[in-house]
Structure formats: C-alpha cells, structure tokens
C-alpha cells in the first residue's frame, strides 16, 4: 500500500471512530428530559423581555472595562520599559498582584471595600465594571503591549531619533502604532475574556435595569419552568458576541502574522 493510500485509510478510520463515539454518546442521552429542562421554548420565551437589556449591559460593561484596561495597560507597559527604576517596580508589582488574585475578589473589593475605605459611593455598575475588570485586564494587556513594543526593530527607533524626533514623539508616532498592529489579535482575545468576566458582576446585587446575561440566566433557574433552559439561552447570547470576535481575531492573526 502506498503512503498516500495508507494516510487516506488512516483518516477514514479516524472519521469512523469519531462518528461511532458521537452516535454512542448521543444514543445514551435522555432526549425527552433534555428537551424539557434545557431546550424548553416556553421557558426561553419567558426571558425575552429581559434579554435585550442584559445583552446591551454585557456589551457596555465589556467596552467600559476594555477602555480602562487598554489605557492603563499601555501606561503600565511604558512604565515597565522605563529607564527609571521606581516606574518599573510599580508596574511589575501591579502586574504580579492583579494577575495573582481572582477577578471576583477585585469586583467585590471595588464594589464594597473601596467605598467603605474611601467614603465614596460607587452607584454605577458601569463604573464598578470599568474599574474592577479594567484593573485586572490592564495587568494582562500591559504584558501584551510590552511584548509588542519590544518586537519593533531597534533600528527604527534609532532612525527616528537620528532624524531629531524626541523619545516621546518616537514612541507615539513610530513604536506604538506598530506595536498595536502586532498585538491586535491578543487584544481581541482580551475582549473575549472580558465579555465572559462580566458574569462576575452578579455579586453586586444590582437592580434589574443593570442585569448582565449571567444574572438573567441565574434568575431564570428559580423562576422559569424550563429548568436549565435559561442558562442555555444566555450561553447562546454569549456565543453571539464571542464567535464574531473570535473570527475577527483569527483574521487579524493571519493578516499580522501574530498569535491570537
């Protein structure tokens, strides 16, 4: 048997085995119970009046957190690369701290501990989401941007400086534009992660007008007659957001040659 034919037979066997496993798995499920508890159209219909607002809130919280994360992350990346040692120490401490603690603890701290400690009232869920999730995201984004800056050829920096450009102008007009182009795919992935992290805001006990998708799904567990249908519905809503972003990330990765 030729190598090409042997490879073709091998792929055929793998397809058959995969198909057999899927058929065996699907045949063991109790589809009548699955239909009642997970794919119940009546239970899904009970959620329709709350889903648009929750969907919009989830997108708003994600964009607010990403705006803070991107801005703060860029500053932290520049501090990490600074020749001034205290800047590097502050940036390193920040990154290690926020990468080392769960995002849920940060949400609780910003939502409850910070107002008590500083005597301020954070009544806006958008502000809490932006500060809490943005602070955590900034730690990861800063490392991504730092890698992008370091990937810019040193010769371009030296050429810009030899033309009389200041260090600040070189960073703003030469280095950062190229760095952001390189790190665009991982930044898109960070938006995906932030979208899912908005589910942590359920601990803040917000009013229905500020519910995000997971909160609506959790409430549906106790009110809808369809069992787990609510979670299935909100899961589908998350996919409506994340799948297009994933496609964008892959296209950017192919275009830039980076790694998403």
């Amino acid at each position: 048997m030729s190598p090409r034919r042997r490879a073709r037979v091998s792929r055929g066997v793998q397809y058959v085995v995969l198909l057999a496993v899927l058929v065996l798995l699907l045949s063991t499920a109790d589809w009548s119970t699955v239909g009642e508890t997970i794919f119940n159209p009546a239970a899904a219909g009970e959620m329709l009046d709350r889903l648009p607002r929750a969907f919009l809130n989830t997108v708003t919280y994600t964009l607010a957190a990403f705006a803070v994360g991107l801005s703060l992350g860029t500053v932290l990346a520049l501090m990490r690369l600074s020749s001034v040692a205290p800047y590097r120490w502050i940036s390193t401490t920040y990154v290690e701290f926020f990468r080392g603690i769960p995002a849920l603890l940060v949400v609780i701290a910003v939502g409850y501990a910070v107002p008590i400690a500083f005597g301020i009232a954070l009544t806006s869920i958008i502000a809490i989401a932006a500060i809490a999730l943005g602070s955590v995201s900034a730690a990861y984004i800063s490392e991504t941007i730092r890698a992008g800056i370091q990937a810019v050829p040193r010769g371009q920096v030296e050429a810009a400086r030899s033309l009389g450009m200041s260090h600040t102008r070189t960073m703003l007009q030469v280095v950062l534009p190229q760095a952001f182009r390189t790190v665009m795919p991982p930044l898109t992935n960070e938006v995906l992660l932030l979208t899912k992290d908005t589910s942590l805001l359920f601990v803040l006990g917000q009013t229905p007008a500020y519910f995000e998708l997971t909160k609506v799904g959790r409430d549906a567990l106790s009110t809808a007659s369809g069992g787990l249908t609510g979670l299935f519905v909100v899961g589908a809503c998350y996919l409506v957001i994340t799948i297009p972003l994933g496609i964008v990330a892959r296209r950017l990765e192919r275009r830039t040659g980076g790694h998403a």
Side-chain angles (χ1 to χ4, degrees), residues 131-146:
I131 296 172
L133 299 181
S135 298
V136 177
S137 179
Y140 295 93
I141 289 177
S142 69
E143 290 298 277
T144 300
I145 295 177
R146 181 171 67 92

Side-chain angles (χ1 to χ4, degrees), residues 95-257:
V95 170
E96 295 302 325
F97 177 79
F98 279 97
R99 289 201 310 182
I101 60 174
L104 180 60
L105 295 184
V106 180
V107 172
I108 294 174
V110 173
Y112 297 108
V114 170
I116 294 174
F118 296 97
I120 58 176
L122 288 175
T123 57
S124 171
I125 302 298
I126 297 176
I128 296 175
I131 296 172
L133 299 181
S135 298
V136 177
S137 179
Y140 295 93
I141 289 177
S142 69
E143 290 298 277
T144 300
I145 295 177
R146 181 171 67 92
I149 293 174
Q150 291 177 322
V152 177
R154 182 68 184 170
Q156 295 193 22
V157 177
E158 295 173 349
R161 297 303 301 271
S162 66
L163 293 174
M165 298 177 68
S166 65
H167 176 74
T168 302
R169 189 178 172 190
T170 300
M171 291 298 296
L172 294 177
Q173 296 187 358
V174 178
V175 177
L176 284 180
Q178 296 185 70
F180 275 107
R181 183 182 178 186
T182 302
V183 302
M184 195 61 72
L187 287 181
T188 308
N189 277 342
E190 186 60 31
V191 178
L192 288 174
L193 296 176
L194 276 174
T195 302
K196 292 181 286 186
D197 282 349
T198 56
S199 62
L200 301 176
L201 299 174
F202 79 92
V203 298
L204 299 176
Q206 66 267 40
T207 58
Y210 295 101
F211 282 179
E212 37 72 42
L213 287 171
T214 300
K215 177 63 177 174
V216 172
R218 286 168 56 88
D219 285 356
L221 289 177
S222 58
T223 58
S225 58
L228 300 174
T229 300
L231 295 182
F232 170 78
V233 171
V234 299
C237 290
Y238 277 114
L239 291 177
V240 170
I241 301 173
T242 57
I243 288 178
L245 286 174
I247 294 173
V248 170
R250 287 193 293 275
R251 289 186 176 179
L252 288 173
E253 181 186 11
R254 287 196 295 269
R255 181 174 298 180
T256 62

Side-chain angles (χ1 to χ4, degrees), residues 48 74 77 152:
L48 290 181
T74 303
V152 177

